[in-house]
Structure formats: C-alpha cells, structure tokens
Amino acid sequence: MNTDTTQRREEHWKRTKSLMIKHLIVWFFFAYLVHLFASSLNSINFFGWPLGFYMAAQGSLIAFVVQLFLFAKQQDRIDQDCGVAEES
C-alpha cells in the first residue's frame, strides 16, 4: 500500500472519528441532559407548552432526525474529500 493511500485513510478516519464524537455529544445532550432538567425547563413556555414537556415529547425527536440527516451529509463530504465515496 502506498503512502498516499495510507495518509488518505488516516485522514478519513481522523475526520470521521471527530465528526462521530461531536454528534455523540449532541445526542447525549438531547437524550439525557434535556430530560434530566425537564422539570426546571417547565417554567419556560414554548408554543403554550412547558418547554421540558415539549423537549421530552417532540423536541428531542426532531433534533435526532435533523442530526441524522446532517451527519449523513457531513460524512458524505468527508468521504468525497478523502476519495472513498461510494459511486451514485
């Protein structure tokens, strides 16, 4: 295996790992921390609903779906930059 290919693979893994860690931090925030502080968030209203209830019922789910599409787009960009993208 030549050096250029090895460097591209290392760069790809480094960028993929960094992206994954960032998205896991965001996931942890919406999956655990928002729900942990839901009772405190209930003092804030969001479209007439307590914010803690809204985030537990809908907000976190919306954040997860947006995060999923964002992750796929960002990972595809990394794959293309490093030359390992799948053909369409």
Side-chain angles (χ1 to χ4, degrees):
M1 187 178 304
N2 66 29
T3 308
D4 185 45
T5 305
T6 303
Q7 288 175 344
R8 283 193 312 176
R9 286 184 180 198
E10 288 175 4
E11 178 67 20
H12 180 264
W13 176 241
K14 178 183 167 189
R15 291 175 63 187
T16 297
K17 187 168 56 170
S18 174
L19 179 66
M20 184 173 39
I21 289 169
K22 290 173 188 172
H23 277 272
L24 283 172
I25 290 169
V26 172
W27 174 85
F28 179 79
F29 174 79
F30 282 104
Y32 290 103
L33 295 182
V34 167
H35 298 283
L36 186 64
F37 296 106
S39 59
S40 301
L41 293 173
N42 282 336
S43 62
I44 303 168
N45 282 332
F46 183 75
F47 291 119
W49 296 92
L51 183 60
F53 172 78
Y54 178 80
M55 289 304 294
Q58 298 295 325
S60 293
L61 297 174
I62 292 169
F64 294 148
V65 170
V66 169
Q67 185 181 13
L68 175 69
F69 285 102
L70 183 61
F71 180 84
K73 182 177 180 181
Q74 291 171 328
Q75 184 62 50
D76 187 52
R77 188 176 316 126
I78 290 171
D79 292 348
Q80 289 178 5
D81 291 347
C82 294
V84 296
E86 296 179 358
E87 294 181 19
S88 316

